[in-house]
Amino acid sequence: EMKWELPEESLYQGMVLFKNSMMVLDLLAENNWKRPVYFAITVSTENYLGLEPYFRLDGFGYRVVPVQADSLISSHEYTSVDTDILYDNLMNKSVWGNIEKEGVYLDENILRMIANYRNLFGNLAEALNNEGKTDKAVEVLDRCLSLMPHSKVPYNHFSFPMIEQYFRAGASDKAEKMMNTLYEATLQNLNYYKQFKGSYLQSIETELRIALYTITTLGDVADNYKLTEFKGKTDAVLEDWTRLLSL
């Protein structure tokens, strides 16, 4: 039995159900589990029709299953994970298109899409850590970074789940290495932003906010894991920008 409510975001003006959504509901009602039904991980959440508690993350799609997830797989996804299925799909079956190879060009759209792929590995590592399979969690994270290295897909504020799972799995050295790389890359961006003044600074406000958020979160992670020296570096950067923005 499946029971759920259509969220307001799935309805036009909170009242109207479009035909595409009615088609999905009809498909679920009539399919009777004869064939698997998947939602792509990249579509807008309004297309999920409130079904997330019945999603199982199998890879690049959520499979609808008649079993309600009993806990969050991460801080933002109310979805179940079968670690054996997801591990096999990501580690053995998926083909990644030579992302890591020199000379393979990745445009901005592809780089944004790859953030979803990294999240998949992070979700799997989190589920493995939750099951106490820390060695496998490290293996998954290592595989992700070998496929999508910083040199080709720079770390950004979406990289924190991987850092957190490295710490949870006991691979503190690898977590700290990621933190240092992300810190240096973000600091380089911030030093570049210092040349902008007035309306020019306003034009990069979003990028600046993300960079300062990244430094702040790095400091929080450092504080959580007693990395005193690293925390001092992030505090100094934030103090410098507080002064600059007040001028």
Side-chain angles (χ1 to χ4, degrees), residues 29-126:
E30 300 299 329
N31 180 55
N32 200 27
W33 309 109
K34 294 173 185 175
R35 297 187 66 180
V37 177
Y38 282 92
F39 286 81
I41 63 172
T42 51
V43 302
S44 172
T45 56
E46 66 189 32
N47 294 299
Y48 294 156
L49 303 178
L51 284 161
E52 290 94 327
Y54 295 98
F55 281 176
R56 188 182 72 201
L57 182 62
D58 282 4
F60 304 110
Y62 296 112
R63 181 170 178 170
V64 181
V65 294
V67 179
Q68 188 169 0
D70 58 4
S71 63
L72 289 164
I73 104 171
S74 69
S75 59
H76 60 283
E77 290 195 71
Y78 191 66
T79 302
S80 65
V81 170
D82 184 313
T83 53
D84 290 335
I85 293 173
L86 186 54
Y87 180 93
D88 188 39
N89 285 340
L90 290 185
M91 301 291 281
N92 301 320
K93 293 181 177 179
S94 297
V95 178
W96 298 98
N98 300 317
I99 294 171
E100 78 284 3
K101 298 286 182 65
E102 291 296 328
V104 174
Y105 175 67
L106 307 175
D107 65 23
E108 290 185 3
N109 290 321
I110 293 174
L111 288 173
R112 282 195 293 269
M113 186 66 70
I114 291 173
N116 292 300
Y117 303 159
R118 273 189 178 159
N119 286 340
L120 286 176
F121 283 91
N123 287 334
L124 176 56
E126 181 172 0

Side-chain angles (χ1 to χ4, degrees), residues 42-234:
T42 51
V43 302
S44 172
T45 56
E46 66 189 32
N47 294 299
Y48 294 156
L49 303 178
L51 284 161
E52 290 94 327
Y54 295 98
F55 281 176
R56 188 182 72 201
L57 182 62
D58 282 4
F60 304 110
Y62 296 112
R63 181 170 178 170
V64 181
V65 294
V67 179
Q68 188 169 0
D70 58 4
S71 63
L72 289 164
I73 104 171
S74 69
S75 59
H76 60 283
E77 290 195 71
Y78 191 66
T79 302
S80 65
V81 170
D82 184 313
T83 53
D84 290 335
I85 293 173
L86 186 54
Y87 180 93
D88 188 39
N89 285 340
L90 290 185
M91 301 291 281
N92 301 320
K93 293 181 177 179
S94 297
V95 178
W96 298 98
N98 300 317
I99 294 171
E100 78 284 3
K101 298 286 182 65
E102 291 296 328
V104 174
Y105 175 67
L106 307 175
D107 65 23
E108 290 185 3
N109 290 321
I110 293 174
L111 288 173
R112 282 195 293 269
M113 186 66 70
I114 291 173
N116 292 300
Y117 303 159
R118 273 189 178 159
N119 286 340
L120 286 176
F121 283 91
N123 287 334
L124 176 56
E126 181 172 0
L128 289 167
N129 276 329
N130 291 343
E131 295 176 0
K133 301 173 182 177
T134 55
D135 289 345
K136 259 192 163 182
V138 172
E139 179 189 356
V140 164
L141 295 169
D142 287 350
R143 172 71 170 158
C144 178
L145 296 188
S146 69
L147 290 168
M148 309 163 205
H150 172 73
S151 60
K152 294 299 300 292
V153 188
Y155 301 153
N156 57 24
H157 57 292
F158 293 117
S159 302
F160 287 111
M162 298 193 66
I163 292 171
E164 179 66 25
Q165 297 315 312
Y166 263 135
F167 274 121
R168 287 188 63 200
S172 299
D173 55 334
K174 295 181 178 182
E176 291 180 41
K177 184 178 179 180
M178 278 193 73
M179 289 176 67
N180 279 302
T181 301
L182 179 55
Y183 171 82
E184 293 297 335
T186 308
L187 187 62
Q188 186 177 17
N189 288 339
L190 285 171
N191 288 335
Y192 171 70
Y193 299 152
K194 284 181 178 180
Q195 68 182 295
F196 293 90
K197 308 294 181 184
S199 61
Y200 294 104
L201 182 60
Q202 291 177 357
S203 70
I204 60 159
E205 182 178 1
T206 299
E207 290 82 358
L208 178 58
R209 286 182 180 275
I210 290 173
L212 293 175
Y213 164 80
T214 302
I215 294 293
T216 301
T217 307
L218 281 169
D220 292 341
V221 173
D223 196 33
N224 289 339
Y225 291 97
K226 313 302 182 198
L227 305 175
T228 307
E229 183 178 349
F230 193 99
K231 181 66 164 63
K233 292 195 302 183
T234 61

